[in-house]
């Protein structure tokens, strides 16, 4: 008799657990709204490694210790509170440009990113390096800009200033309030 009572109690417990499991439902919109109200991300990723492809070719990769996804906000964005590293590739698959920084925000709808803290952009082709504390990157236009202090170094030149704009590959610059040494060829004068 004891064995049958034990089976009955186990069956009742199992039925109760199944009923509880199916009665617990969350409306996705309610969960998103709750997280947005509490300023919490909808998802968090650790040790993120993301590869971007276009027509089967790898165009860039993103590496970050932590990614917080705030796409539940009115103006959706991703936050990289512990830094970011982005490597872009040229058409031949070689490293083209590397971008690093201690903190980043990337706005999903505008595709504009703000990278802050020890920002370094390095063009592997021409060995040109940009250093600044804050950089904005318009990914649609493939364009960098800052109003903060900067340093651009190459094999022959070092330029310091406040205010910088260029293409993503560090070409076609617009430099503001600059100082430094630049080597020019005689034909260029």
């Amino acid at each position: 008799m004891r064995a049958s009572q034990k089976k009955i109690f186990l069956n009742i417990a199992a039925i109760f657990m199944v009923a509880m499991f199916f009665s617990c439902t969350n409306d996705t919109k309610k969960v998103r709204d709750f997280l947005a109200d509490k300023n919490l991300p909808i998802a968090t990723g650790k040790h993120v490694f993301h590869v971007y492809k276009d027509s089967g070719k790898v165009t860039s990769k993103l590496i970050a210790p932590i990614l917080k996804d705030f796409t539940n906000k009115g103006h959706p964005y991703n936050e990289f509170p512990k830094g970011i590293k982005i490597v872009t590739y040229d058409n031949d698959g070689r490293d083209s440009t590397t971008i690093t920084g201690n903190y980043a925000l990337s706005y999903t709808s505008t595709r504009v990113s703000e990278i802050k803290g020890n920002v370094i952009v390095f063009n592997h082709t021409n060995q040109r390096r940009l250093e600044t504390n804050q950089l904005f990157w318009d990914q649609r236009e493939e364009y960098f800009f800052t109003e903060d202090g900067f340093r651009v170094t190459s094999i022959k030149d070092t330029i310091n200033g406040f205010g910088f704009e260029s293409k993503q590959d560090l070409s076609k610059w617009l430099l503001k309030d600059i100082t430094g040494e630049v080597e020019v060829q005689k034909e260029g004068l």
Side-chain angles (χ1 to χ4, degrees):
M1 177 96 143
R2 231 164 158 47
S4 64
Q5 282 181 335
K6 191 174 185 181
K7 284 184 183 179
I8 291 172
F9 283 125
L10 286 174
N11 287 335
I12 291 172
I15 291 170
F16 180 73
M17 294 298 284
V18 169
M20 294 251 326
F21 178 73
F22 284 109
S23 68
C24 293
T25 61
N26 285 325
D27 182 11
T28 306
K29 183 173 177 2
K30 287 181 182 177
V31 171
R32 282 179 171 260
D33 291 344
F34 172 79
L35 293 172
D37 289 345
K38 300 292 182 191
N39 200 29
L40 296 171
I42 195 159
T44 300
K46 292 184 179 181
H47 310 293
V48 176
F49 182 86
H50 186 79
V51 176
Y52 296 91
K53 292 183 179 182
D54 184 14
S55 304
K57 285 186 173 182
V58 175
T59 58
S60 64
K61 67 181 175 183
L62 176 142
I63 303 164
I66 295 178
L67 160 65
K68 292 184 177 183
D69 181 355
F70 288 94
T71 55
N72 55 335
K73 297 284 191 179
H75 192 59
Y77 65 93
N78 291 314
E79 180 184 28
F80 303 89
K82 301 250 181 186
I84 192 168
K85 178 179 181 180
I86 301 166
V87 180
T88 63
Y89 296 97
D90 64 13
N91 290 335
D92 297 325
R94 294 183 305 245
D95 288 5
S96 178
T97 306
T98 300
I99 307 159
T100 59
N102 294 344
Y103 177 87
L105 290 173
S106 181
Y107 293 95
T108 310
S109 57
T110 61
R111 294 194 59 206
V112 172
S113 297
E114 177 184 14
I115 307 166
K116 297 194 298 189
N118 297 316
V119 180
I120 298 173
V121 180
F122 184 73
N123 181 309
H124 297 274
T125 306
N126 61 20
Q127 302 294 303
R128 188 167 289 134
R129 176 183 174 115
L130 167 67
E131 299 171 63
T132 186
N133 281 319
Q134 181 182 37
L135 184 71
F136 293 94
W137 177 24
D138 186 331
Q139 296 168 41
R140 283 190 181 132
E141 299 296 323
E142 298 181 348
Y143 195 75
F144 292 131
F145 58 96
T146 185
E147 291 301 320
D148 205 352
F150 71 89
R151 171 177 282 151
V152 174
T153 55
S154 66
I155 295 170
K156 298 179 181 182
D157 307 321
T158 299
I159 303 170
N160 299 302
F162 289 89
F164 176 89
E165 297 178 26
S166 80
K167 290 182 113 186
Q168 182 175 294
D169 63 357
L170 296 180
S171 66
K172 298 196 178 187
W173 308 337
L174 173 62
L175 308 174
K176 303 173 187 175
D177 195 16
I178 62 169
T179 61
E181 296 182 19
V182 179
E183 185 176 304
V184 295
Q185 296 189 4
K186 191 174 185 177
E187 298 86 40
L189 296 175

